[in-house]
């Protein structure tokens, strides 16, 4: 056999050819190299010999060296190890050489060692072929010469251009152990031990070693305490150390758990490698396990893994969650808690990862979402009919899927659960906020489909799905949401028509159709709607029922219309100044038409008008637009809710609040921060509910604000007609409540005039309001209504007629009788009268003999009222205090008989506490008054001890939240007033407000008071911490809005100080980065669930960025806002104001999405040409 099989076919001169025998060639087939070329090898050999002849001096040295190495290596195996160690040392010594040089040197050394090994074998075999030795020695000599001179690249050697290859002396076993070289297919662990799997569990070990470079890097660089991994280590729990021996022996040492155990691992058929814990193994076997048996084993295993040592608490929580959902897969709350736990889990280090992986691993949002999705899909498998889990899954999938796929999933879900109103609400909001597929007509028809489906479920005509509780209330909420959607999209006429139709459909329904299903009733209602008869809010409206009766008798009798007051008072000139920019003129005309043309247009038969005479076809409302949305309301409370919602929609302030489902979607006006007369009158400041919701006819940009007070003449007549129709529907207390709403509307217009400080407008509005108040009080039913007398007196007081207001108050108190503290209306009237009088005081000196103390004393005496004569007896003050104390104790311990009595008693308690606290404030001091409010709040907030003994007993007011909230308002308002007239620390008021806001985070009045007292504070850190805490603990949007407002007020204050023209200014408020802080607050707010679809929040954000001069960022934010609120027309109008050069693009976008554009660009061009 030849030493070099590749040269086996080449014979030296004088020797027989090596390949003469066929058998010998076949023998060497397994050693042959198919890519080796004999000619090239001979050529290389010849060149080596030439080089050797050119350098005769160095050849003996090289030969001697190679022979000595050969002889040294052939002696013992130990010398081989020594030479390898020397080579390693040499490599370490010259590690700073170039990479190319290092690679060439390694190649040459590897070939050298290869040749050395072959020489050794040849010598042991006793072969006498010297020509192969000489050739190898000369080749070695040539290679070493080249290496010693310079680095050699394969490209530089011309002979190796064809089939070049190199020998890899460091092979990777993964190349032949696995199917592919992709790192994901190669195992990251290494087995320790040589025994077969399953024989000896003690010798089987798997290590997750990191690479050598990482290990070296970790050893060479010790980490400081502030690094990421050190902080993570400090935040985790340490290893538990316990004493295995008895605690009585003091000399024993505490022992740490051993890493190895002598007990054999549980290797069974389901756990052949022993890698599962005992509970998982038992579960895989389909058995149950006792917690006590496996608890110590779990603890042992928890300590064994280094990655689990640090995260023992999280491991325990994971096991608990898994156990819960495994043992009770029907528990929906357990699944949802498990999903929420993933956020907490990803905040800490990885549980089941090695130490190196924990340091390198980056937690991503996508990973969390994928884990949540997997858990939810497993939960849905166990609970296929649960809607909550499916909604949570869709919420997670929003981050992964495209909008068309999401819409299909929503449609499947709605098809499976058409009787679920909460699901419909979320589906409508989802479709409403998808910019790519949004259009007004599509969403409006979707609302109609939703209400039609729920009405069929309510009627029982949809037999496949039962009626869920609360469906009727949810249907009204969806209807109101549809009306506000149309208002915000600019289609005011359709929204008003919807309200008109449903009120007629509910309150004026003929008896003959009441037993029909909803769709049948709608078919009978359509002829009435298309007949042209007057509707609710129009002159001569009689209702659907009267029209049906008259149709049966033979139609209506034509009456001559009244020609009175036909002259137009309003100025019809739309363009007042043509020199203004085009965008400014467009905004003026658009706003003017929004304010004047929100009523549906109908042809006037007396003027012989037809539908073709309408200049704007969009002002006409067809029955097809509103027919599908008509629903039946059988609950009287929901019917009243519909009426008050309509009044609120028109701008009439009512005590009734909107449904929470569409609360923040409809919030689009900046009036939420307006403290109406709060600084001048802190005790009696007007608190209109639901500020922040613009009424019909008011669509103002952020910078302009409201242009006018109330409505124009047509709108005011419409509201007046609505009230006249509603007065015919109700009587008694409900009728009085409607009158109170009407008078409150007039007072709100007076307050707006006071805010604008327009004396001429205030005088005209005051004259109209007083006329209405007197007309209401002249009605026989209203003469004894103390609530109306109270509002009329308050109106006179606001107008500045204090003496006239006192006469009205005194007259009302004289005619009220001797009800005393037992009459809620009398207490309310007396409280307002006393508060107005207290606000006139400049100090508390002489307050004991003031008119306010006289009023409160006469209330407690329960006798006939005597007007104030200038003095108050001390005896009467003492008697009154005792009377108030007894009345308060009786009221707190009273048990109401019904819900209506509960509401009445709650109002009575609030008025009583207000009178008593004000009385103590004037006669004793502020501390006594605060004590009354604090004691009452404590009793209202804490459950009574009797409730624990008798769970079934109803204790009424003691758990009534509205009473507690009202008492808190009285408390804070009294403290604010006292601070305005005397010196008093701020801390009691701040503490009272913070405690109240933690309990009522959506109370706008309390937030206004809080930012009012914090606006001039030197340090904002306390307020910022408080805002941060409240926003984390509640889903309400008010904390975000007022936190932003507080920072904006602070920024304006600093800018005013720095811009002051008073020489050199040294700022005493050390604030930097306020702009970035405000932007961060906005970003966090719009990412919340309620804030993402709140038009007001996006408008504030857009206005702030535009005010900072960041035009490009503002444009990007505008389009981002449209992705979440594409229906809000005010956003587009704000964009026209901020980006006037893009007027045409904005109008095109509004037209594409079918938002109402009342002034097209073509019409504007014609108006400018005239």
């Amino acid at each position: 056999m030849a030493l070099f099989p590749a040269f086996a076919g080449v014979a030296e001169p004088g020797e027989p050819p090596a390949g003469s025998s066929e058998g010998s060639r076949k023998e060497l087939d397994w050693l042959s190299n198919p890519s080796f070329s004999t000619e090239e090898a001979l050529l290389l050999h010849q060149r080596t010999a030439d080089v050797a002849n050119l350098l005769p001096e160095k050849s003996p040295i090289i030969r001697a060296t190679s022979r000595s190495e050969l002889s040294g290596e052939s002696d013992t195996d130990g010398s081989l190890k020594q030479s390898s160690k020397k080579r390693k040392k040499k490599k370490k010594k010259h590690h700073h050489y170039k990479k190319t040089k290092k690679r060439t040197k390694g190649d040459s050394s590897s070939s050298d060692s290869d040749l050395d090994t072959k020489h050794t074998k040849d010598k042991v075999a006793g072969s006498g072929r010297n020509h192969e030795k000489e050739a190898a020695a000369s080749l070695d000599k040539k290679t070493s010469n080249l290496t010693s001179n310079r680095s050699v690249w394969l490209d530089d050697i011309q002979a190796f251009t064809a089939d070049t290859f190199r020998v890899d002396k460091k092979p990777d076993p993964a190349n032949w152990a696995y199917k592919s070289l992709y790192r994901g297919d190669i195992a990251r662990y290494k087995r320790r031990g040589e025994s077969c799997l399953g024989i000896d569990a003690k010798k089987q070990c798997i290590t997750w070693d990191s690479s050598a470079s990482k290990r070296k890097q970790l050893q060479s660089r010790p980490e400081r305490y502030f690094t990421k991994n050190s902080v993570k280590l400090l935040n985790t729990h340490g290893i538990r150390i316990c004493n295995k021996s008895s605690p009585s022996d003091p000399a024993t040492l505490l022992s740490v758990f051993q890493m190895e155990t002598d007990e054999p691992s549980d290797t069974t058929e389901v756990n052949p490698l022993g890698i599962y814990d005992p509970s998982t193994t038992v579960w895989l076997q389909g058995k149950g396990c006792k917690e006590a048996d496996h608890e110590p084993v779990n603890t042992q295993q928890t300590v064994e893994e280094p990655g689990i040592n640090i995260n023992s608490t999280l491991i325990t929580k994971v096991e608990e969650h898994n156990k819960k959902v495994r043992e009770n897969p029907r528990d929906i709350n357990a699944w949802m808690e498990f999903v929420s736990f993933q956020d907490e889990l990803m905040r800490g280090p990885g549980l089941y990862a090695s130490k190196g992986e924990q340091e390198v691993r980056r937690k991503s949002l996508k990973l969390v979402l994928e884990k949540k999705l997997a858990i939810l899909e497993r939960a849905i498998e166990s609970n296929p009919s649960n809607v909550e889990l499916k909604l949570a899954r869709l919420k997670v999938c929003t981050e992964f899927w495209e909008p068309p796929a999401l819409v299909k999933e929503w449609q499947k879900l709605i098809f499976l659960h058409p009787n679920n109103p909460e699901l419909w609400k979320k589906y409508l909001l989802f479709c409403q906020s998808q910019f790519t597929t949004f259009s007004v007509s599509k969403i409006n028809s979707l609302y109609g489909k939703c209400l039609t489906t729920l009405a069929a479920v309510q009627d029982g005509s949809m037999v496949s799905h039962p009626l869920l509780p609360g469906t009727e209330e949810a249907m009204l909420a969806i209807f109101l949401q549809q009306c506000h959607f149309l208002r915000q999209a600019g289609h005011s006429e359709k929204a008003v028509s919807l309200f008109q139709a449903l009120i007629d459909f509910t309150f004026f329904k003929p008896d003959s159709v009441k037993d029909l299903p909803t769709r049948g009733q709608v078919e009978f209602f359509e002829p009435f709607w298309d007949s042209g008869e007057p509707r609710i809010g129009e002159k001569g409206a009689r209702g659907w029922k009267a029209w049906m009766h008259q149709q049966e008798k033979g139609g209506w009798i034509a009456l001559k219309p009244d020609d009175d007051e036909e002259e137009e008072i309003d100025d019809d000139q739309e363009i007042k100044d043509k020199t203004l920019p085009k965008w400014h003129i467009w905004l003026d005309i658009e706003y003017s038409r929004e304010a004047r043309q929100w009523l549906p247009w109908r042809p006037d038969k007396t003027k012989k008008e037809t539908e073709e005479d309408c200049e704007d076809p969009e002002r006409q409302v067809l029955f097809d637009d509103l027919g599908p949305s008509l629903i039946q309301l059988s609950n009287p409370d929901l019917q009243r809710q519909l009426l008050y919602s309509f009044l609120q929609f028109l701008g009439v302030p009512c005590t009734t609040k909107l449904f929470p489902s569409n609360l923040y979607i409809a919030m689009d006006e900046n009036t939420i921060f307006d403290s109406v007369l709060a600084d001048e009158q802190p005790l009696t400041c007007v608190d209109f509910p639901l500020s922040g919701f613009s009424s019909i006819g008011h669509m103002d940009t952020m910078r302009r604000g409201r242009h006018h007070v109330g409505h124009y003449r047509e709108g005011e007549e419409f509201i007046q007609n609505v009230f006249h129709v509603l007065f015919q529907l109700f009587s008694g207390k409900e009728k009085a409540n409607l009158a109170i709403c009407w008078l409150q509307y007039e007072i709100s217009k007076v307050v707006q005039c006071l805010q604008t400080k327009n004396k001429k407008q205030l005088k005209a509005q005051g004259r109209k309001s007083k006329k209405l108040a007197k007309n209401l009080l002249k009605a026989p039913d209203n003469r004894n209504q103390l609530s109306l007398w109270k509002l009329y007196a308050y109106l006179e007081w606001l107008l500045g007629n204090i003496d006239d207001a006192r006469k009205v108050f005194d007259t009302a108190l004289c005619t009220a009788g001797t009800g005393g503290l037992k009459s809620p209306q009398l207490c309310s009237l007396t409280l307002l009268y006393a508060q107005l009088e207290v606000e006139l005081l400049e100090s508390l000196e002489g307050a004991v003999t003031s008119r306010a103390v006289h009023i409160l004393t006469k209330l407690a005496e329960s006798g006939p009222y005597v007007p104030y004569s200038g003095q108050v007896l001390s005896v009467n003050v003492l008697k009154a205090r005792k009377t108030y104390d007894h009345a308060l104790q009786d009221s707190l311990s009273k048990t109401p008989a019904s819900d209506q009595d509960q509401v009445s008693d709650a109002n009575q308690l609030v008025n009583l506490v207000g009178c008593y606290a004000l009385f103590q404030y004037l006669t004793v001091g502020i501390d006594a008054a605060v004590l009354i409010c604090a004691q009452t709040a404590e009793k209202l907030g804490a459950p009574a001890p009797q409730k624990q003994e008798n769970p079934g007993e109803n204790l009424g007011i003691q758990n009534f939240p509205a009473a507690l909230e009202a008492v808190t308002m009285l408390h804070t308002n009294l403290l604010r007033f006292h601070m305005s007239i005397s010196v008093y620390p701020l801390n009691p008021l701040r503490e009272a407000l913070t405690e109240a806001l933690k309990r009522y985070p959506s109370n706008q009045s309390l937030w206004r008071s809080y930012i009012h007292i914090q606006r001039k504070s030197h340090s904002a850190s306390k307020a910022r911490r408080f805002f941060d805490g409240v926003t984390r603990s509640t889903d309400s949007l008010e904390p975000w809005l007022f936190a932003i407002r507080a920072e904006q007020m602070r920024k304006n204050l600093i800018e005013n100080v720095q811009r002051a023209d008073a020489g050199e200014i040294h700022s005493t408020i050390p604030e930097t980065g306020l702009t970035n802080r405000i932007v961060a607050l906005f970003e966090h707010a719009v990412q919340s669930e309620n804030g993402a679809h709140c038009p007001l929040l996006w408008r504030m954000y857009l206005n702030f960025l535009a005010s900072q001069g960041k035009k490009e960022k503002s444009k990007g934010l505008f389009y981002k806002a449209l992705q979440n609120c594409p229906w809000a027309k005010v956003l587009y109008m704000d964009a026209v104001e901020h980006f006037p050069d893009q007027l045409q693009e904005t109008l095109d976008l509004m037209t594409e999405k079918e938002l109402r554009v009342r002034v097209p660009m073509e019409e504007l061009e014609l108006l400018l040409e005239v």
Side-chain angles (χ1 to χ4, degrees), residues 985-1042:
L986 182 61
N987 201 41
L989 176 58
R990 185 189 285 119
E991 287 182 357
L993 283 171
T994 52
E995 289 299 321
L997 286 168
K998 287 176 185 176
R999 192 187 291 264
Y1000 308 109
S1002 59
N1003 189 307
Q1004 298 175 6
S1005 301
L1006 290 173
W1007 281 118
R1008 282 193 286 266
S1009 301
Y1010 183 75
I1011 64 172
H1012 177 75
I1013 66 169
Q1014 289 288 347
R1015 61 182 176 178
K1016 294 184 179 179
S1017 175
H1018 179 75
S1019 173
S1021 58
K1022 283 186 179 179
R1024 286 169 180 167
R1025 285 197 299 270
F1026 174 67
F1027 275 118
D1028 184 63
V1030 176
T1031 51
R1032 290 174 186 272
S1033 61
T1034 181
D1035 294 332
S1036 300
L1037 197 58
E1038 282 83 0
W1040 287 111
L1041 293 170
F1042 282 93

Side-chain angles (χ1 to χ4, degrees), residues 301-505:
Q301 187 177 356
T302 302
V303 178
E304 283 178 9
E305 290 293 336
I308 302 175
N309 285 344
I310 307 170
N311 306 283
S312 56
T313 308
L314 290 178
I315 270 282
T316 308
K317 289 184 179 179
V318 170
E319 291 175 355
E320 289 175 358
H321 283 295
N322 274 300
K323 186 176 180 181
K324 280 182 183 178
V325 298
R326 184 171 67 237
E327 293 178 352
N328 191 5
R330 300 286 181 183
D331 188 358
I332 307 301
N333 292 330
W335 286 108
M336 298 303 292
E337 287 173 5
F338 198 11
V339 171
S340 303
F341 175 68
Q342 299 308 310
D343 296 322
E344 178 186 349
L345 192 63
M346 293 307 293
R347 281 195 288 269
L351 288 180
Y352 301 101
S354 64
K355 189 175 180 182
E357 188 180 355
Q358 286 178 357
E359 293 161 353
V360 178
R361 183 183 180 191
R362 293 178 61 190
K363 273 77 73 175
S364 64
L365 176 64
K366 188 176 181 182
L367 181 60
V368 183
L369 294 174
E370 285 175 350
K371 291 180 72 175
K372 288 183 177 181
L373 187 60
I375 295 170
L376 287 168
E377 286 177 348
R378 183 72 179 273
I380 292 172
E381 288 178 10
S382 304
N383 305 275
S385 61
N386 188 267
V387 180
E388 184 181 359
L389 292 173
K390 294 178 181 178
L391 282 173
R393 176 175 171 268
L394 277 176
K395 186 178 179 181
V396 172
C397 290
T398 308
E399 303 292 334
F400 293 102
W401 295 350
E402 294 295 324
L406 274 174
V407 171
K408 287 183 180 178
E409 284 296 317
W410 270 107
Q411 289 173 349
K412 289 180 186 176
L413 194 57
I414 285 293
F415 180 76
L416 292 174
H417 308 278
N419 61 331
N420 192 322
E422 296 301 322
L423 187 62
W424 273 107
K425 288 180 186 178
K426 290 181 172 59
Y427 176 51
L428 289 167
L429 179 59
F430 167 77
C431 295
Q432 191 171 323
S433 56
Q434 291 294 312
F435 179 76
T436 53
T437 58
F438 172 82
S439 70
V440 173
S441 60
K442 188 185 296 184
I443 302 300
N444 192 42
S445 62
L446 193 61
Y447 272 104
K449 179 183 178 183
C450 165
L451 291 172
T452 303
T453 307
L454 291 176
V457 174
Q458 184 187 26
D459 296 336
S461 54
M462 185 178 284
V463 188
S464 57
H465 292 80
L467 178 67
L468 298 179
T471 300
E472 189 174 341
E473 183 178 352
M475 288 167 69
L476 177 59
I478 293 171
F479 175 83
L480 296 177
Q481 190 171 326
Q482 180 185 10
C483 294
H484 280 281
F485 161 72
L486 290 171
R487 171 186 65 80
Q488 289 177 305
H491 294 269
S492 309
E493 300 91 347
K494 291 181 180 178
V496 173
S497 296
L498 271 172
F499 271 116
Q500 286 179 307
L502 190 58
I503 290 175
D504 238 324
F505 191 76

